[in-house]
């Protein structure tokens, strides 16, 4: 846990003079399937869509997600392809509303709070970040083939509700598994035809 915590600070120091790089690297917001993006326990419906935006717009305090019944938030984030997730940035609210922990799950679409009680693929302690300059590294080997990411924020810094202003995701994107299935379907058709041709040839030879 502490390694993750410290790594966030380390990255902050290493990237302070390279803000343009952060803007280029944190571009996975454009690869999210916004139509199917969802957040459980959000106070305002569809406010989740506003927190995934360009890094240089991260400080826009008019766009945020706030929890409703309690401090928990659960984001189900489908991508338009496959992602190798390398890092994330979380800007939270002030007054104790900033999340203090995030639990990451890969490739488990439409997770519920009950399902989020299971063992995550990674867990990160979060420090209060109001500028969007603290990075958290993911276990790249574990998150190298992600078509759906779930972020569970179970607690915060003491407030009854949680508030998130910006979520930045860094990584590589490639065309998705759905496209691969389509290709397999097209490949299957000619192979069946080839098989039939071979059967016919065999029959002719027997005759």
């Amino acid at each position: 846990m502490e390694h993750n915590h410290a790594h966030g600070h380390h990255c902050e120091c290493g990237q302070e003079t390279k803000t343009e790089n952060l803007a280029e690297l944190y571009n996975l917001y454009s690869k999210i399937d916004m139509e199917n993006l969802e957040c459980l326990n959000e106070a305002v419906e569809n406010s989740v869509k506003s927190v995934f935006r360009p890094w240089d717009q991260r400080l826009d305090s008019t766009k945020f997600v706030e929890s409703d019944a309690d401090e928990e938030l659960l984001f189900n984030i489908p991508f338009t392809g496959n992602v190798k997730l390398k890092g994330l940035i979380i800007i939270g609210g002030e007054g104790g509303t900033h999340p203090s922990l995030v639990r990451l799950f890969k490739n488990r679409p439409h997770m519920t709070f009950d399902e989020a009680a299971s063992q995550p693929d990674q867990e990160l302690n979060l420090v209060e970040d109001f500028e969007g300059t603290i990075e958290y590294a993911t276990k790249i080997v574990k998150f190298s083939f992600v078509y759906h990411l779930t972020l569970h924020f179970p607690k915060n810094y003491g407030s009854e509700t949680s508030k998130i202003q910006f979520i930045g995701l860094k990584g590589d994107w490639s065309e998705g598994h759905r496209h691969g299935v389509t290709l397999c379907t097209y490949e299957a058709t000619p192979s069946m035809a080839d098989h039939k041709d071979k059967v016919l040839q065999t029959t002719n030879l027997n005759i």
Side-chain angles (χ1 to χ4, degrees), residues 45-59:
E45 189 176 355
N46 288 326
S47 57
V48 60
K49 295 179 181 180
S50 68
V51 302
F52 295 97
R53 55 185 190 268
W55 185 84
D56 55 11
Q57 297 176 23
R58 71 197 183 285
L59 301 180

Side-chain angles (χ1 to χ4, degrees), residues 160-175:
E160 291 183 2
T161 59
S162 294
K163 187 175 179 180
I164 296 175
Q165 182 175 310
F166 172 83
I167 297 177
L169 302 172
K170 177 176 74 172
D172 301 323
W173 178 90
S174 61
E175 288 197 38

Side-chain angles (χ1 to χ4, degrees), residues 180-191:
V181 170
T182 305
L183 285 176
C184 290
T185 305
Y186 285 121
E187 286 168 7
T189 307
S191 64

Side-chain angles (χ1 to χ4, degrees), residues 98-193:
H98 195 300
S100 58
L101 180 72
V102 63
R103 306 171 75 245
L104 289 75
F105 301 85
K106 74 166 187 178
N107 300 342
R108 294 180 65 179
H110 307 296
M111 279 192 79
T112 63
F113 281 113
D114 287 341
E115 292 168 334
S118 60
Q119 184 69 27
D121 292 296
Q122 188 170 357
E123 193 171 274
L124 295 164
N125 285 318
L126 303 176
V127 297
E128 292 182 293
D129 178 16
F130 308 117
E131 301 294 325
T133 52
I134 298 176
E135 289 186 272
Y136 299 92
T138 59
K139 299 173 182 174
I140 296 177
V141 173
K142 189 159 281 191
F143 291 93
S144 61
F145 192 80
V146 181
Y147 59 84
H148 185 283
L149 175 68
T150 300
L151 299 179
H152 178 217
F153 298 91
K155 56 184 181 177
N156 60 22
Y157 278 91
S159 177
E160 291 183 2
T161 59
S162 294
K163 187 175 179 180
I164 296 175
Q165 182 175 310
F166 172 83
I167 297 177
L169 302 172
K170 177 176 74 172
D172 301 323
W173 178 90
S174 61
E175 288 197 38
H177 67 296
R178 292 194 188 99
H179 188 59
V181 170
T182 305
L183 285 176
C184 290
T185 305
Y186 285 121
E187 286 168 7
T189 307
S191 64
M192 286 298 292

